[in-house]
Amino acid sequence: MRLLIMGAPGAGKGTQAALIKDAYNISHISTGDMFRKAIKEQTATGIEAKKFIDKGQLVPDYVTNNLVRERLAEADCAKGFLLDGYPRNVEQAVELDKILAELNIKLDAVINITVDDKILIDRITGRRTCTKCGASYHVVANKPKQEGICDVCGSELIQRADDTEETIKSRLEVYYGKTEPVLSHYEKQGLVKNVYGMASIDEIFANIKKVLGEF
Ligand code: AP5
Ligand code: MG
């Protein structure tokens, strides 16, 4: 299964991706997680990406496209993958079409999680993220078993550097201006499956499995 998961910042892409990758035994590729790892390791990509991420802007396409091209060529992606946070503008979507054509593969579906802005802001400001594995929690809706500690790997939970009210505003502007139009690109290919995102994590996951049921 080769999938994309789309939706505004805080829509629950990472939360659902963690469930989907286990259920379908596919690799989860989050460009945001890849950039945060690069920032932590202070690689050249990380230093470049940080300048944009901290302002809630998109990292330049040449950086992002190369990262994804290299990642999709890795062996584990042959069993299937779920791309989360890419493509984020129409230029990246056109580039992804080329990358997939080079690999001689096609996407099966684009899952689009829909959530209102007011709820997005609450989800983002209440989010706590694992410093090691990137798992997402929420101070009210999705608490870890032990406060401040990741259920999955036992590492420390922190608030992401770009989860400030100010940065969220520009992330939402970027989403509506540049990322939402990507949906039309995939609607033309008949791939978009809309999933209502203002429900519990389990209910949303059940609906994702339902829309993917035909595969
Ligand atoms: P990225 O890491 O992709 O961030 P994002 O798109 O802003 O999305 P988030 O990770 O914030 O939200 P999510 O949908 O994963 O929500 P989550 O599951 O965590 O990108 C970060 C930055 O990197 C970008 O701004 C950009 O600068 C750069 N970047 C990344 N990709 C790029 C690209 N392709 N090109 C250029 N630049 C790129 O959930 C959110 C919260 O809600 C959590 O607290 C969670 O516990 C909670 N929650 C989830 N589901 C529910 C529910 N059903 N009910 C209640 N709470 C819930
Ligand atoms: Mg995420």
Side-chain angles (χ1 to χ4, degrees):
M1 185 111 64
R2 300 180 192 103
L3 306 170
L4 303 189
I5 189 157
M6 293 190 60
K13 301 182 294 294
T15 302
Q16 294 300 326
L19 301 170
I20 296 167
K21 80 168 167 61
D22 287 344
Y24 294 92
N25 187 30
I26 55 179
S27 294
H28 173 208
I29 304 172
S30 156
T31 43
D33 286 350
M34 289 166 89
F35 285 135
R36 282 184 287 279
K37 184 168 180 278
I39 291 170
K40 209 170 147 194
E41 292 168 357
Q42 296 190 309
T43 65
T45 300
I47 291 163
E48 178 71 0
K50 189 173 172 11
K51 295 183 212 158
F52 299 90
I53 293 179
D54 284 353
K55 288 187 250 167
Q57 292 169 1
L58 294 184
V59 177
D61 289 349
Y62 70 91
V63 179
T64 314
N65 289 333
N66 282 338
L67 204 69
V68 173
R69 174 175 266 108
E70 283 172 15
R71 182 66 187 90
L72 285 179
E74 285 177 26
D76 64 299
C77 292
K79 69 179 181 199
F81 56 80
L82 171 64
L83 268 170
D84 159 4
Y86 180 93
R88 248 180 158 90
N89 58 29
V90 173
E91 292 77 11
Q92 290 183 7
V94 171
E95 191 61 26
L96 179 61
D97 286 346
K98 281 190 210 154
I99 297 172
L100 297 175
E102 282 162 24
L103 294 167
N104 207 15
I105 54 179
K106 285 199 163 98
L107 294 175
D108 294 304
V110 174
I111 301 160
N112 179 42
I113 307 182
T114 59
V115 176
D116 290 347
D117 280 8
K118 201 174 152 290
I119 292 178
L120 294 172
I121 291 166
D122 170 72
R123 285 192 187 174
I124 295 175
T125 49
R127 171 167 48 197
R128 296 295 178 269
T129 307
C130 177
T131 43
K132 191 161 176 221
C133 74
S136 263
Y137 299 86
H138 189 275
V139 290
V140 178
N142 182 21
K143 291 184 186 177
K145 290 191 185 87
Q146 194 185 337
E147 201 187 323
I149 304 291
C150 178
D151 291 351
V152 182
C153 72
S155 302
E156 188 198 0
L157 302 180
I158 53 148
Q159 194 155 16
R160 251 170 56 180
D162 61 341
D163 280 352
T164 61
E165 293 257 3
E166 205 184 307
T167 314
I168 293 165
K169 211 170 144 254
S170 62
R171 282 161 66 194
L172 285 172
E173 274 168 22
V174 168
Y175 173 74
Y176 289 112
K178 296 187 174 163
T179 309
E180 209 181 37
V182 172
L183 285 169
S184 323
H185 181 87
Y186 291 114
E187 262 152 16
K188 284 183 213 141
Q189 299 181 17
L191 291 173
V192 178
K193 311 276 177 197
N194 289 306
V195 175
Y196 181 73
M198 287 175 284
S200 72
I201 293 169
D202 291 346
E203 281 167 319
I204 297 167
F205 183 49
N207 283 331
I208 290 175
K209 283 195 286 191
K210 212 180 280 170
V211 301
L212 293 179
E214 60 213 67
F215 295 102

